[in-house]
Structures are given as structure tokens and as C-alpha cells.
Amino acid sequence: MKQTDMSRKILEQARERLDQAVEIAALTGAGISAESGVPTFRGADGLWRQHRMEDLATPEAFQRDPRLVWTWYNWRRALIADKTPNPGHLALARLERLKPAFQLITQNVDGLHQLAGSRNLLEIHGSIWRVRCTVCGQRRIERNTLANPPSCPACQGLLRPDVVWFGEALATDRLDAAFRAVSQAEVLLVVGTSGLVQPAASLAWQAKRSGAWILEINIEPTPFSEHADAVLPGPAGRILPQLLP
Ligand code: BJW
């Protein structure tokens, strides 16, 4: 069968599965925001091609050189600030309106799912738009340009981005809710993630163990591809809207 015929068949099958299911979940990664102009981490133009993650996305790096880490985050915040949701984000927001039990789980910190209108949203790696005080623990949304390094208005302590770095635990309530959602899901969409970072990658495996029908959407094969029930190769912004009526 030709690739296009096969993709058409999978699209039809996916539409049918989504139409019949009540419990649906999606796990998204950096790839879904690529078409909005937000760089991914591991692709050819990925952030980890230009920077060592050990220097920028670990608690040790922040302790060693908070100014360097904040330079990188301020650069990313400025880069993302004017980016808008693409048809992929919008399709998932629409899926939530069609299927109220839909649960979206994202590894992304860019806030684009929320901007697209998704509300049943678990941002398991935090948000680049939230800061947290390393002394008093207070969190707040901060969209304005920040000093480098910024300090807490309440206690003058050093602020950090409220994101999850390597070696740090994900918020238990959010991670538990994500595992619950994929365990209950009849259909799971795995969109634009390399599936290399744990524990997020385990969510797809958990869905598989629980019997979900899993569709992967990605421009490249991933370690999970051969375990998915179906794969639609291509950009999320082109494929996701085609899954909906
Ligand atoms: C498209 C597309 C288009 C492009 N359409 N597709 C078990 C085994 C081995 C290691 C570990 C393990 N358990 C834990 C670890 C360690 C570590 C880990 O996983 N390391 C691996 C690298 C090996 N994990 C952790 O440290 C985690 N913490 C933890 O486990 O804590 C345990 C603990 C418990 C109790 C106490 C203390 C500790 C934390 C992980 C945090 C990850 N953080 C980051 C940064 C977030 C903040 C920020 O953004 O600044 O999260 S790293 C980065 O990777 C970011 C992402 O969310 C994450 C995943 O990346 P993603 O989204 O998959 O992006 P890419 O770039 O990898 O892939 C993009 C994909 O899109 C590609 O496939 C493209 O083909 C595709 N694509 N355009 C569709 N248009």
C-alpha cells in the first residue's frame, strides 16, 4: 500500500476511535510548538545542539551560575513571548470542547496550549512564565522582562524559573494525575515528543499497559513508534486538525 493510502486509512481509523471514545488523553512535547517557531531540544536546530543541558537545565548549573542560566531563560522568554498557537494546539483545544473528559498532558513550558484555549491541562515540566523564590518558595506569573538575576519582591531571595530541571522531581499531584489519565484513556495521542525524557516517556508505556489505542504523530520515528498502534508521520499542525470533524 502506498504511504498516502496508508496514512489516509490511519486517519480514518483515528477519527473513528476518537469519535467513539470518552476517555481521551494526549501527551505533547516540543514538536507541537515547532510550527509556532519555538525551538525543540534535540532536533537539528534544537536547543541542546547549541548548549549543554548540564550548564543550563540542572539545579547544579543554577547554583553555580544563576546569571548564565537566567541569560538563557530570558532569551527563551523573549523568543517565545510573541509566538502564537498553531493549528495543532488549536485542534487539541477543540478536542477538549468536543470531549469534555479529554486530558492534555504537556512537557512544554511555553504556555501555548493554554493560549490556544486548553483548560484540562497538566504542564508537568512547569511554566517558563512562572517564577519561584528559592528562599520563601512563593510562586507567581511574571511575563515582564526580568532583571538578571531577579529577586523576590517579598523576601529579596533569588528567583528561579518554575520549571523542572534534570535531576528534579516533577510535582507529585500533576504527575499522579497524568498517570491516572493515561491509565484510564481509551485513546492516547503522543505528539511531537522524542520520548527520551523520563518520567514523561513512561506515560505512553503506561497507557499501552492499560490497553489504550495509541496514535503517535511526529515528523521522525521515535523509540516508541513501533509500539504505538498507529503512526502518522508529519507535522502536528497539519495532522491534528484532520483528526477532528
Ligand atoms: C515534530 C515537529 C512537528 C519536531 N510535528 N513532531 C530513567 C532512565 C534514564 C534516565 C532517567 C530515568 N529517570 C529519570 C532520568 C533522568 C532524567 C532523564 O530522563 N534523562 C534522559 C535525558 C536520559 N529525568 C529527570 O531528571 C527528570 N526528573 C526525575 O526523573 O526526577 C527523579 C527524582 C525523584 C525524586 C527526587 C528527585 C528526583 C526531570 C526531567 C526534566 C526535563 N526538563 C526539560 C527542561 C524543562 C524546562 C525548560 O524547558 O527549560 O524538559 S529537558 C527537555 O526535554 C524539556 C522537555 O520537556 C523534555 C522533553 O523533550 P521533548 O518535548 O520530547 O522535545 P525533543 O526536542 O526531545 O523532541 C521533539 C520531538 O518533536 C522530536 O521527536 C521531533 O521529531 C518532533 N517534531 N517538529 C511533530 N512539527
Side-chain angles (χ1 to χ4, degrees):
M1 211 188 296
K2 279 197 300 190
Q3 175 75 34
T4 46
D5 292 342
M6 202 157 77
S7 293
R8 205 169 299 131
K9 224 172 151 190
I10 294 172
L11 263 174
E12 263 169 42
Q13 197 186 1
R15 279 194 212 110
E16 207 168 299
R17 291 270 180 177
L18 287 170
D19 181 47
Q20 284 166 9
V22 175
E23 302 283 345
I24 303 170
L27 170 66
T28 65
I32 196 168
S33 294
E35 290 155 82
S36 294
V38 180
T40 62
F41 291 92
R42 295 169 185 83
D45 302 321
L47 294 168
W48 298 151
R49 291 289 165 115
Q50 306 149 42
H51 312 277
R52 276 162 31 99
M53 69 183 184
E54 298 85 351
D55 293 338
L56 297 165
T58 63
E60 292 78 19
F62 188 66
Q63 214 165 17
R64 208 165 40 238
D65 195 345
R67 278 177 63 89
L68 175 71
V69 172
W70 266 114
T71 301
W72 189 60
Y73 275 93
N74 280 339
W75 169 74
R76 283 178 63 205
R77 284 164 58 96
L79 183 82
I80 299 168
D82 65 348
K83 300 295 180 278
T84 51
N86 66 56
H89 297 106
L90 296 170
L92 292 179
R94 196 149 82 80
L95 184 54
E96 179 182 313
R97 292 195 292 277
L98 294 169
K99 299 278 178 175
F102 174 65
Q103 179 68 65
L104 179 53
I105 303 158
T106 190
Q107 298 167 80
N108 299 345
V109 299
D110 55 32
L112 291 181
H113 281 305
Q114 207 174 35
L115 216 54
S118 288
R119 293 296 170 261
N120 295 345
L121 174 65
L122 295 165
E123 293 180 317
I124 59 174
H125 287 165
S127 168
I128 203 164
W129 302 115
R130 220 168 38 232
V131 291
R132 182 168 100 225
C133 178
T134 56
V135 177
C136 72
Q138 211 175 85
R139 289 180 161 88
R140 71 196 161 84
I141 304 286
E142 183 54 81
R143 282 200 163 253
N144 295 323
T145 307
L146 292 163
N148 189 352
S151 52
C152 175
C155 78
Q156 309 312 313
L158 176 64
L159 292 177
R160 59 164 283 177
D162 196 18
V163 299
V164 183
W165 285 322
F166 285 109
E168 293 187 316
L170 282 67
T172 317
D173 54 345
R174 259 173 271 165
L175 189 60
D176 288 351
F179 271 101
R180 261 198 313 279
V182 296
S183 302
Q184 287 165 4
E186 296 155 69
V187 176
L188 175 71
L189 308 176
V190 180
V191 186
T193 177
S194 58
L196 295 174
V197 173
Q198 295 291 352
S202 307
L203 290 164
W205 292 97
Q206 176 58 42
K208 190 171 171 65
R209 275 193 296 275
S210 306
W213 186 82
I214 305 178
L215 171 67
E216 183 184 65
I217 298 167
N218 200 306
I219 55 168
E220 303 272 355
T222 74
F224 190 73
S225 303
E226 60 185 275
H227 306 279
D229 293 284
V231 176
L232 284 170
R238 181 165 61 74
I239 293 173
L240 281 168
Q242 297 183 58
L243 298 179
L244 305 182

